[in-house]
Amino acid sequence: MEEKKITLIENTFNKSDLTFLLSSIISEKINYHKLRRLSEWEGNHKADTSFDDTRIDKLREIQDSLKSELDKMDGDKFEVKSEIIIRKIK
């Protein structure tokens, strides 16, 4: 497998459902980094958690910006397609 594409989301959503879905996905990513940071810290109180700290901050910014942008969008239905691409790194 050199590359694998997975369609994670491919559907039509109303604004409320779309906002909830995307916010939930981002929240899960934030929680992942929080747990990873805590695990590192428990093993070593001096562990460098700057990557996770920065990623959490960036994801919160994305979450706020996305909600703001969706609030501004007109329309009742929105088509969404999201793919994940997995590539082997040498």
Side-chain angles (χ1 to χ4, degrees):
M1 169 185 87
E2 292 298 316
E3 180 175 290
K4 177 73 175 171
K5 290 184 183 182
I6 300 168
T7 300
L8 184 63
I9 302 169
E10 187 172 18
N11 207 342
T12 302
F13 300 92
N14 64 39
K15 189 184 290 190
S16 175
D17 288 344
L18 178 57
T19 301
F20 178 78
L21 173 67
L22 296 177
S23 180
S24 296
I25 291 169
I26 296 168
S27 290
E28 283 299 316
K29 282 286 294 168
I30 291 169
N31 287 336
Y32 165 80
H33 285 285
K34 285 180 176 180
L35 288 172
R36 197 174 104 129
R37 179 179 63 186
L38 178 61
S39 178
E40 288 288 324
W41 182 83
E42 284 179 337
N44 175 7
H45 291 336
K46 294 182 181 182
D48 180 10
T49 61
S50 60
F51 173 78
D52 292 304
D53 296 336
T54 301
R55 193 66 187 131
I56 289 167
D57 291 342
K58 183 64 177 170
L59 287 164
R60 285 182 176 146
E61 287 175 19
I62 290 168
Q63 194 172 38
D64 291 343
S65 173
L66 187 58
K67 184 180 180 330
S68 177
E69 289 298 317
L70 287 172
D71 285 345
K72 294 176 191 174
M73 293 176 78
D74 291 330
D76 296 326
K77 295 285 184 184
F78 300 90
E79 183 179 353
V80 178
K81 182 173 183 176
S82 172
E83 288 185 338
I84 295 176
I85 300 171
I86 301 168
R87 290 188 188 109
K88 180 180 175 183
I89 300 175
K90 296 180 181 179

